[in-house]
C-alpha cells in the first residue's frame, strides 16, 4: 500500500472554514491554512527557538542548543507516529540534514556565521539542530506538493536542473576561494525555469504561478526566519549587530538554495514533475476528476 499521511485533521479544518466563512474568504483561509500546515515542521522549530530564548536560563543543567536538538528529534518521531508525515518526506528530511550540516560545518569555520551558546550536542562547533532547520525547508516543499496536489510543468530536463543545483551548492563553498558566480547562477535559474509553472489545486480550481516567483516567495519567508534566529541570538552573522536586520542579499542566497532544496526533494519525490506543459481539461472541476486528468496524460520528468 502506498505510504500516505493521514489527511483527517486537514479535511476537518477545511470543512469548518467552508461552513463558517464566505466562499472567497474561505478559499483564502484554506490556502493560508495549507501553507501553514505544509510548514508545520519549520513552525515547530521556529516556535522552539522563540520559546527557549524566552524561558531558558544559563544555570539550567541542559543547554538551550541541546534542548533544541531533543525537540527537533521528538518532533520528527511524533510526525511519523501520528502519520502527519510520510516516510518519503522523512527520507527528504534525512537528505537535507546531511547536506545542510555539511554546509554549516564549512560556513562556521569559514567565519560566515557562528553559534555563540554552549552545548554538548555540537559537532565541529555546530549544534546538531541546525540540520533540522535545513530539513524543515525540504519538509515544507514535500508537504506542499502533497497538500496542494502540485504539478510543476513544463519542467526542464531533470539532468539540467540537477546540474544547476550542484553548481549552486558547490558555489556556496567555492566562492570563498574562487570568483563568485552567483549572478551567472541567477541567470541560469531563469533560463531553465522561466517557462515553468507551479500548478496547485484549491478545491476544484487549478491555479498557477511562475516557478521562479515561488522560489522568491520562499526566499522571503526564509529571510524572515533568519531574522528570528538572529534576534533571538541563536546564531549571528559576522559583523551583524544584535538587533540589526539580516542583509537582504541573503534572500538571493536562499533563492538559489531553493533550487538545491527542490532538486533534493525530487530525488525522492519526482511524480509532480512534467516535461510537457500542463493543461488541466478544466480550470474548475471536481477534485477526483481533476486528479485523474492531471495524472493520466502526463509523464514524469526523467
Amino acid at each position: 500500500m502506498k505510504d500516505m499521511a493521514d489527511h483527517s485533521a486537514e479535511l476537518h479544518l477545511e470543512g469548518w472554514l467552508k461552513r463558517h466563512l464566505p466562499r472567497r474568504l474561505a478559499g483564502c483561509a484554506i490556502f493560508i491554512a495549507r501553507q501553514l500546515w505544509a510548514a508545520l515542521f519549520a513552525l515547530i522549530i521556529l516556535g522552539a527557538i522563540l520559546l527557549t530564548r524566552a524561558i531558558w536560563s544559563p544555570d539550567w543543567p541542559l543547554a538551550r542548543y541541546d534542548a533544541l536538538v531533543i525537540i527537533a528529534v521528538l518532533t520528527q518521531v511524533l510526525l511519523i507516529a501520528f502519520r502527519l508525515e510520510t516516510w518519503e518526506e522523512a527520507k527528504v528530511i534525512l537528505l537535507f540534514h546531511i547536506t545542510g550540516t555539511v554546509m554549516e560545518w564549512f560556513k562556521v569555520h569559514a567565519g560566515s556565521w557562528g553559534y555563540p551558546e554552549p552545548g554538548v550536542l555540537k559537532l565541529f562547533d555546530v549544534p546538531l539542530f541546525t540540520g533540522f532547520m535545513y530539513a524543515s525547508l525540504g519538509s515544507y516543499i514535500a508537504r506542499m506538493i502533497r497538500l496542494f496536489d502540485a504539478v510543476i510543468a513544463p519542467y526542464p530536463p531533470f539532468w539540467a536542473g540537477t546540474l544547476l543545483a550542484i553548481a549552486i551548492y558547490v558555489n556556496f563553498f567555492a566562492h570563498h576561494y574562487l570568483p563568485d558566480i552567483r549572478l551567472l547562477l541567477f541567470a541560469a535559474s531563469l533560463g531553465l525555469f522561466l517557462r515553468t509553472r507551479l500548478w496547485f489545486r484549491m478545491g476544484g480550481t487549478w491555479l498557477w504561478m511562475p516557478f521562479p516567483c515561488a522560489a522568491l516567495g520562499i526566499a522571503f519567508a526564509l529571510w524572515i526566519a533568519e531574522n528570528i534566529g538572529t534576534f533571538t541570538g541563536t546564531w549571528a552573522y559576522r559583523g551583524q549587530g544584535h538587533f540589526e536586520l539580516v542583509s537582504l542579499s541573503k534572500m538571493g542566497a536562499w533563492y538559489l538554495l531553493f533550487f538545491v532544496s527542490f532538486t533534493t526533494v525530487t530525488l525522492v519525490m519526482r511524480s509532480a514533475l512534467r516535461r510537457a506543459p500542463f493543461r488541466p481539461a478544466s480550470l474548475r472541476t471536481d477534485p477526483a476528476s481533476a486528479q485523474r486528468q492531471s495524472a493520466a496524460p502526463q509523464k514524469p520528468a526523467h
Side-chain angles (χ1 to χ4, degrees):
M1 180 180 291
K2 187 177 180 181
D3 181 17
M4 290 294 294
D6 186 12
H7 288 270
S8 59
E10 304 154 21
L11 295 175
H12 180 77
L13 174 60
E14 292 186 10
W16 187 90
L17 291 172
K18 288 178 180 178
R19 290 192 301 271
H20 292 84
L21 294 176
R23 185 174 65 85
R24 289 177 182 252
L25 185 57
C28 293
I30 289 172
F31 176 80
I32 294 171
R34 284 192 192 178
Q35 289 286 349
L36 295 175
W37 194 243
L40 178 63
F41 194 97
L43 292 174
I44 291 173
I45 298 298
L46 281 177
I49 288 173
L50 287 167
L51 179 62
T52 55
R53 182 65 178 86
I55 69 172
W56 219 259
S57 169
D59 297 329
W60 291 0
L62 182 66
R64 176 173 170 249
Y65 282 171
D66 297 338
L68 289 172
V69 176
I70 294 170
I71 291 170
V73 172
L74 285 177
T75 298
Q76 181 63 79
V77 171
L78 291 174
L79 289 178
I80 291 291
F82 286 98
R83 300 182 64 200
L84 297 176
E85 192 170 79
T86 68
W87 281 106
E88 275 191 335
E89 291 161 3
K91 293 175 187 176
V92 167
I93 284 178
L94 177 60
L95 287 173
F96 270 86
H97 203 291
I98 294 170
T99 57
T101 301
V102 169
M103 190 161 71
E104 284 286 329
W105 289 339
F106 180 86
K107 289 291 189 178
V108 166
H109 284 275
S112 298
W113 59 78
Y115 296 89
E117 297 181 28
V120 175
L121 299 177
K122 294 177 79 171
L123 193 60
F124 304 119
D125 297 323
V126 175
L128 296 182
F129 75 85
T130 59
F132 287 100
M133 294 192 300
Y134 288 89
S136 65
L137 173 57
S139 173
Y140 165 77
I141 294 172
R143 288 168 62 82
M144 181 274 296
I145 290 173
R146 173 169 60 84
L147 292 172
F148 286 93
D149 298 311
V151 174
I152 299 92
Y155 198 81
F158 192 74
W159 62 265
T162 302
L163 283 180
L164 173 65
I166 292 172
I168 291 171
Y169 190 72
V170 169
N171 188 64
F172 279 123
F173 299 86
H175 80 84
H176 289 274
Y177 311 103
L178 300 172
D180 191 347
I181 62 168
R182 72 181 62 195
L183 292 179
L184 180 61
L185 294 171
F186 286 135
S189 72
L190 291 176
L192 277 178
F193 293 98
L194 190 60
R195 294 179 55 247
T196 303
R197 296 178 175 182
L198 169 61
W199 288 88
F200 57 96
R201 193 173 62 207
M202 292 293 299
T205 303
W206 282 99
L207 305 169
W208 65 271
M209 68 173 63
F211 195 64
C213 289
L216 190 60
I218 290 173
F220 177 70
L222 292 169
W223 179 77
I224 293 175
E226 285 262 60
N227 282 286
I228 292 174
T230 56
F231 285 171
T232 58
T234 307
W235 61 87
Y237 284 97
R238 181 172 56 188
Q240 181 188 15
H242 185 62
F243 291 106
E244 182 182 349
L245 286 174
V246 174
S247 169
L248 284 172
S249 66
K250 297 299 179 185
M251 279 184 58
W254 280 111
Y255 169 86
L256 291 175
L257 191 64
F258 167 81
F259 292 97
V260 179
S261 305
F262 189 83
T263 302
T264 304
V265 170
T266 54
L267 291 175
V268 178
M269 305 171 61
R270 206 176 304 180
S271 60
L273 309 184
R274 303 285 186 268
R275 285 286 290 119
F278 178 70
R279 296 185 181 88
S282 171
L283 290 181
R284 186 168 182 82
T285 185
D286 66 278
S289 172
Q291 189 169 22
R292 290 193 296 271
Q293 292 165 359
S294 67
Q298 305 288 344
K299 294 182 179 180
H302 295 286

